[in-house]
Amino acid sequence: MSASSFWLPGIRLTNFIVFLGCVGLMAVGLYMQYFMDLVPCALCITQRIFIIATGSWALIAFVVHNAVTARKVLSFLAIISAIAGGFFSSRQLWLQSLPEDQVPACGPSFDYLIEAFPLQEALTVLLRGDGNCAEVSWTFLGLSIPGWTLVAFAGLVLINIWQLLRRS
């Protein structure tokens, strides 16, 4: 065992760390929602779905760690989930960068969309985003919430690429 591999976690432990990271991201999101009163917009909820999906793939990979093919497929699925989540983070950042007169009109709340519209139409509105998604309600070190979420998704993509390419 080389000195550099001594300091790196194994494949199974890395999958568990990714899962815990996604749980942590969700905990921060829920804290911001329920304790800081930051109501998530449609794109925020979409990003949460992809965080949950990425974490779920990592948890399944942690459980089936002896099945090499399954673990690689799960890493690939986690990469796809994280890329998709990054797309929606980027979309929200783009909406936030628009001049005020070009921001789309604000739409109904997520709860109303799900209750009042057919699922396909609700999902279309949810994935497109609206004026609510353009509002910057919190920043840290100059980045808004979708900016930090994009950083997290980029990290998840890189870690899962590393997991995909690792040898047992």
Side-chain angles (χ1 to χ4, degrees):
M1 180 184 305
S2 69
S4 63
S5 65
F6 178 76
W7 296 105
L8 296 174
I11 294 171
R12 186 169 191 227
L13 180 57
T14 302
N15 281 319
F16 191 67
I17 292 168
V18 167
F19 166 72
L20 290 179
C22 291
V23 168
L25 288 168
M26 286 305 302
V28 169
L30 293 171
Y31 176 83
M32 291 177 141
Q33 180 177 348
Y34 292 107
F35 293 98
M36 295 173 63
D37 294 323
L38 299 176
V39 179
C41 69
L43 287 175
C44 293
I45 292 169
T46 304
Q47 291 166 65
R48 286 182 182 186
I49 291 167
F50 285 106
I51 289 169
I52 291 168
T54 305
S56 297
W57 298 130
L59 180 61
I60 295 168
F62 171 76
V63 172
V64 299
H65 65 94
N66 287 330
V68 176
T69 302
R71 191 182 70 236
K72 291 197 178 284
V73 168
L74 291 164
S75 291
F76 179 76
L77 292 172
I79 291 166
I80 298 302
S81 297
I83 288 171
F87 168 79
F88 290 106
S89 296
S90 298
R91 169 98 174 131
Q92 188 170 3
L93 285 169
W94 175 75
L95 286 171
Q96 289 179 347
S97 72
L98 290 174
E100 199 170 312
D101 63 328
Q102 293 180 14
V103 172
C106 292
S109 71
F110 174 75
D111 295 333
Y112 179 78
L113 279 173
I114 298 301
E115 290 175 11
F117 293 98
L119 182 60
Q120 184 176 359
E121 191 174 330
L123 287 175
T124 300
V125 172
L126 184 69
L127 296 176
R128 187 176 59 235
D130 62 17
N132 293 325
C133 300
E135 181 183 332
V136 178
S137 54
W138 181 90
T139 61
F140 180 68
L141 299 176
L143 286 178
S144 63
I145 296 169
W148 284 110
T149 307
L150 181 59
V151 169
F153 280 126
L156 289 168
V157 167
L158 292 174
I159 291 168
N160 279 289
I161 288 172
W162 178 53
Q163 288 288 84
L164 183 66
L165 299 176
R166 289 174 85 177
R167 295 195 177 140
S168 298

